[in-house]
């Protein structure tokens, strides 16, 4: 049963990432309604047109709170009396639109809202799109379509913005569960429920936490905790000092495992030196943490990393080597890091990193990065090309490498 549920939700994610729409039905003891839903990153005029013609309800754009805050999308009213607490913001249109109401204009506004670099002055108010703000803990906090849509966007590892529209019957009344099933079959559209998303998250969010132990090191005394999702996998480690929660953002390094650099002090990369410097900074601050993820070789594993090293010795750079082996240039994923941080009550961090993608992923997963703290290690004759590739192809924020 658990496997069937996981397969169903992940099949829905595949549909969404192919740009298709799905149907999300909520509980029969709530509104008992269904919404057509798509991922904002993949919106097109055709899918918007499909929504307004087939679903017939109000087209809205659920989003993560951080996105709404960045775009200055404050609450539509200060005294919210909606029975279900739907968090409408002021309506909006992108300034690149004309009337704002056509399927093309609405798709444009939705796409602009989903961009991580959009800013408030790129939008008009009021407009024809109605943003909604999801609760921070998604469907585990509120069982609405807003949270369900944003949770699916996060599970899909896209920006946490979606678009939804309630489904009405041809006579103008609301489509209920039986109607929705027939509608889904007739439209050849996948249907899932909010309850299934809740169950999926409860399965995937399960983390076994081993009790903390003392970890005295040459840099200072730390606590060491282990988090596991699967007893057959190596645990993710949290090395910390001081109180982790509080009003001030936590000093944090999210570090991907590098056996050759971390343990054997290889100079082919800067990983080991970055880890050492991070532990030193946490010890000096008296409060902070290093989250040690088991993502060797940018997620391709130790054996494949060594194969990539062989290719690098024949002239390939690290990106070219990984892609020649059939992998993405960087396969790392920070969803588990975000889950661990949330489990520890950490929502805001000062991140020790040079990697903008790490900031982007953590932000999309609901972790607020209040400050980036550079972690630049001087180049050596052995890693200069590697660091140059980081800078030029991964766009790492490095100053000293050409």
């Amino acid at each position: 049963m658990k496997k069937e549920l996981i397969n169903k939700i992940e099949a829905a994610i595949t549909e969404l990432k192919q740009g298709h729409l799905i149907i999300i039905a909520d509980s029969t003891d709530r509104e008992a309604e269904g919404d057509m839903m798509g991922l904002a990153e993949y919106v097109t005029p055709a899918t918007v047109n499909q929504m307004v013609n087939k679903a017939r309800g109000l087209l809205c754009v659920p989003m993560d709170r951080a996105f709404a805050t960045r775009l200055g999308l404050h609450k539509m009213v200060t005294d919210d009396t909606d029975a279900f607490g739907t968090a409408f913001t002021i309506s909006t249109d992108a300034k690149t639109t004309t009337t704002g109401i056509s399927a093309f204009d609405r798709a444009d506004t939705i796409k602009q809202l989903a961009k991580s670099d959009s800013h408030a002055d790129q939008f008009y108010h009021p407009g024809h799109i109605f943003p909604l703000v999801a609760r921070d803990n998604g469907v585990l906090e509120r069982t609405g379509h807003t949270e369900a849509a944003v949770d699916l966007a996060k599970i899909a590892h896209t920006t946490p913005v979606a678009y939804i529209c309630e489904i009405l019957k041809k006579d103008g009344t609301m489509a209920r569960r039986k109607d929705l099933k027939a509608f889904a079959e007739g439209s050849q559209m996948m249907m899932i429920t909010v309850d299934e998303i809740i169950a999926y998250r409860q399965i995937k969010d399960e983390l076994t936490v081993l009790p903390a132990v003392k970890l005295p090191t040459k840099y200072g005394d730390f606590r060491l905790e282990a988090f596991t999702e699967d007893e057959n996998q190596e645990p993710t480690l949290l090395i910390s000092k001081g109180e982790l929660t509080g009003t001030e953002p936590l000093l944090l390094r999210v570090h991907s495992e590098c056996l050759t650099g971390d343990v054997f002090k290889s100079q082919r990369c800067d990983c080991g030196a970055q880890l050492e410097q991070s532990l030193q900074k946490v010890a000096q601050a008296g409060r902070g943490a290093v989250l040690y993820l088991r993502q060797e070789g940018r997620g391709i594993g130790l054996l494949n990393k060594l194969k990539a090293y062989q290719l690098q010795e024949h002239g390939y750079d690290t990106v070219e080597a990984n892609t020649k082996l059939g992998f993405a240039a960087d396969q790392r994923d920070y969803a588990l890091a975000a889950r661990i941080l949330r489990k520890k009550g950490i929502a805001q961090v000062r991140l020790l990193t040079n990697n903008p993608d790490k900031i982007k992923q953590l932000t999309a997963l609901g972790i607020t990065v209040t400050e980036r703290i550079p972690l630049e290690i001087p180049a050596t004759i052995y890693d200069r090309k590697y660091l140059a590739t980081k800078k030029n192809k991964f766009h790492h924020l490095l100053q000293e490498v050409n």
Side-chain angles (χ1 to χ4, degrees), residues 5-44:
L5 172 68
I6 291 172
N7 289 343
K8 184 176 183 180
I9 297 299
E10 292 181 352
I13 294 297
T14 299
E15 284 288 298
L16 290 168
K17 293 186 80 168
Q18 290 174 349
H20 302 152
L21 303 176
I22 67 167
I23 296 168
I24 306 173
D26 73 356
S27 173
T28 53
D29 59 6
R30 194 175 181 274
E31 293 180 294
E33 296 175 357
D35 282 26
M36 206 177 280
M37 178 247 167
L39 295 173
E41 274 193 27
Y42 299 96
V43 67
T44 65

Side-chain angles (χ1 to χ4, degrees), residues 8-259:
K8 184 176 183 180
I9 297 299
E10 292 181 352
I13 294 297
T14 299
E15 284 288 298
L16 290 168
K17 293 186 80 168
Q18 290 174 349
H20 302 152
L21 303 176
I22 67 167
I23 296 168
I24 306 173
D26 73 356
S27 173
T28 53
D29 59 6
R30 194 175 181 274
E31 293 180 294
E33 296 175 357
D35 282 26
M36 206 177 280
M37 178 247 167
L39 295 173
E41 274 193 27
Y42 299 96
V43 67
T44 65
T47 54
V48 170
N49 201 43
Q50 182 181 4
M51 267 195 183
V52 297
N53 278 295
K54 300 296 184 181
R56 306 185 184 90
L58 182 67
L59 197 155
C60 298
V61 177
M63 63 179 63
D64 183 81
R65 186 184 306 278
F67 269 64
T69 300
R70 175 171 52 80
L71 295 173
L73 296 170
H74 55 75
K75 291 179 68 172
M76 183 180 286
V77 294
T78 55
D79 185 16
D80 187 350
T81 57
D82 180 78
F84 293 98
T86 308
F88 280 95
T89 78
I90 52 173
S91 57
T92 191
D93 286 334
K95 288 185 178 179
T96 49
T97 62
T98 52
T99 64
I101 193 62
S102 71
F104 290 85
D105 278 356
R106 283 194 270 186
D108 185 16
T109 298
I110 293 167
K111 191 169 284 289
Q112 297 298 326
L113 289 169
K115 287 184 176 179
S116 59
D117 59 353
S118 290
H119 42 85
D121 63 8
Q122 294 176 311
F123 298 89
Y124 296 118
H125 306 290
H128 299 84
I129 290 294
F130 297 88
L132 307 171
V133 182
R135 299 282 180 87
D136 293 341
N137 204 22
V139 292
L140 301 184
E141 184 175 346
R142 179 180 179 271
T143 58
H145 287 102
T146 301
E147 286 70 26
V150 172
D151 276 2
L152 289 174
K154 289 179 178 179
I155 293 167
H157 300 142
T158 65
T159 51
V161 184
Y163 60 116
I164 60 175
C165 186
E166 303 99 329
I167 299 172
L168 310 184
K169 294 194 290 186
K170 289 182 179 179
D171 64 2
T173 59
M174 297 305 303
R176 305 300 180 186
R177 186 64 65 89
K178 184 174 73 172
D179 309 311
L180 293 171
K181 186 175 180 181
F183 182 91
E185 290 173 354
S187 305
Q188 295 185 318
M189 199 174 291
M190 188 170 184
M191 186 172 91
I192 61 175
T193 68
V194 174
D195 288 341
E196 288 171 333
I197 299 170
I198 292 170
Y200 178 88
R201 277 202 56 192
Q202 288 172 336
I203 293 167
K204 288 293 186 176
D205 286 4
E206 284 179 3
L207 285 171
T208 302
V209 185
L210 277 66
V213 297
K214 294 178 180 179
L215 183 69
T217 75
K218 68 178 183 179
Y219 312 110
D221 295 338
F222 299 94
R223 290 188 307 275
L224 177 64
E225 294 173 82
F227 299 80
T228 61
E229 296 177 287
D230 185 335
E231 62 183 15
N232 296 316
Q233 295 177 344
E234 290 298 317
T236 298
L237 304 175
L238 183 67
I239 306 157
S240 64
K241 191 174 185 69
E243 183 60 45
L244 297 185
T245 57
T247 57
E248 294 298 317
L250 183 75
L251 179 65
L252 177 73
R253 167 68 179 168
V254 177
H255 188 89
S256 295
E257 179 179 30
C258 175
L259 178 73

